[in-house]
Amino acid sequence: MTASATASADTLSYDELKAENEKLKSENAKLREQLVEYYETKEENQRLWEYYDIKKENPSLNLLPANVIKRDTNDDFYSFTLDCGSVSGVSVNDAVITENGLVGWVCEVDYTSCKVKTVLSPDTKVAAVDMATSDSGIVSGSVSLCDENRTRLMNISSSHKIKAGDIIVSSGTGGVYPKNLVIGEVKELKFNSYDTTTYAVVEPYEDIATITAAAVVIS
Amino acid sequence: MRNSRVVFYAAVGLQILILYVIQGTPNLFPEIFGSKPLFLLPLALSVAVFADETPSTIIGAVCGAFTDLGFSGSIGFFAISMTVASFLISYAFRNRLLQRFITAFLLSALVIAVVVCLYFLVFFVFKEIEDCGVYFVNHYISRIVITSLMFVPLWFLNGFLHRNLCD
């Protein structure tokens, strides 16, 4: 076979090239979809492993993973709605956590959805304790701190030893929130001019305004 | 004529849906000076300026209910207050006031300020939330102002629709 004949046999026509191009584009689109599904599954897998770790440390916890389906954009404290409800065993006052700690509590429940108020809301009251110093207090939100993704540890004793960097967890007293759920880290201590007490500014490890998935601790 | 009225109220219904989606979608409409406008309140008031009392009341109730869904999920405060406000605005413009833009704008701004301040009073002040005064200054004053400003385009739009469909 001559060189020119060989070259002609190897060279594709315009139509063939075009068809191959379309086929490759279609395959590329399918692969992109698979890649997106892969990343979603990977993220969900990672999250579920972290919930499993939480469950291993606290075997008494019953966790129900859920996704955020609605966020109240006009709500001042970033509350959101999850896609699980009373049918799945969720009830009012159940704690809501992510892999980074406690983020809120269930305030309303429907059959297939539930509304969550976050730890940034003044309506939230969580009995908490400083892991380092064992000083106890109540975590409750503040209108002046909610925009900075911060909350407060109030009602702490005047002889407390709390300092910046301490980790705050739920104490379990009161029976509403399970024990040892991480709430956040102390950023600074401030003086409350209304009642002349000191409170600790606590920053949750989770960015409350951008939560996309969480788990309900079913009682 | 009757069909034209139906078209007008269908257009209002479409506006309610579109503005509810705009209001409820995160990051779709940016925050201005720390808050976002409540689109459905000026919509209800702009329709009340032109429509009769009964349809205005119904539209006010619907807009208020949708606003409640975006705030707390439970229908209540805005549904009741906008029902009353829409009826009063419609009655005032049917029997007492001329349909002038400046009159409508000032009255709706007053109504919006009263409704939002009442909301703040009930859900913040009466609950004795600390620092609520600072929060009001940082978030709610801007919310009142920009919500009132949303009345302007809606007044012109609904005025145009009403003149061409109902008159």
Side-chain angles (χ1 to χ4, degrees), chain A residues 32-44:
Chain A
R32 263 200 299 271
E33 277 177 27
Q34 285 176 6
L35 190 63
V36 168
E37 276 178 32
Y38 161 74
Y39 281 124
E40 275 179 7
T41 307
K42 185 179 169 191
E43 194 186 326
E44 189 183 2

Side-chain angles (χ1 to χ4, degrees), chain A residues 53-208:
Chain A
D53 285 339
I54 294 173
K55 173 85 177 160
K56 268 201 310 187
E57 287 170 20
N58 301 279
S60 59
L61 293 184
N62 268 334
L63 299 179
L64 177 66
N67 294 310
V68 175
I69 54 172
K70 182 172 166 282
R71 184 173 284 283
D72 300 332
T73 55
N74 283 314
D75 185 82
D76 301 294
F77 306 110
Y78 306 103
S79 61
F80 52 87
T81 302
L82 295 174
D83 62 356
C84 56
S86 54
V87 166
S88 310
V90 176
S91 47
V92 174
N93 290 331
D94 282 348
V96 177
I97 66 171
T98 64
E99 60 271 21
N100 291 322
L102 179 73
V103 295
W105 54 284
V106 175
C107 60
E108 287 173 27
V109 181
D110 292 328
Y111 284 122
T112 55
S113 66
C114 61
K115 190 164 150 62
V116 177
K117 271 200 184 170
T118 68
V119 292
L120 306 180
S121 167
D123 292 333
T124 298
K125 303 269 188 279
V126 183
V129 66
D130 185 323
M131 289 287 282
T133 65
S134 300
D135 288 303
S136 61
I138 306 280
V139 167
S140 181
S142 164
V143 292
S144 55
L145 297 171
C146 60
D147 290 335
E148 303 161 29
N149 193 50
R150 290 181 176 185
T151 184
R152 295 180 305 178
L153 177 68
M154 307 188 305
N155 293 14
I156 51 183
S157 133
S158 54
S159 56
H160 70 88
K161 298 181 186 60
I162 298 174
K163 59 189 183 308
D166 288 353
I167 295 175
I168 304 297
V169 302
S170 59
S171 62
T173 54
V176 178
Y177 297 94
K179 200 176 169 183
N180 288 335
L181 292 179
V182 173
I183 297 174
E185 184 180 310
V186 175
K187 287 297 177 187
E188 56 182 319
L189 291 164
K190 279 188 168 178
F191 181 73
N192 189 342
S193 53
Y194 290 100
D195 57 8
T196 67
T197 57
T198 309
Y199 64 90
V201 175
V202 177
E203 184 170 323
Y205 289 114
E206 185 69 62
D207 184 0
I208 304 288

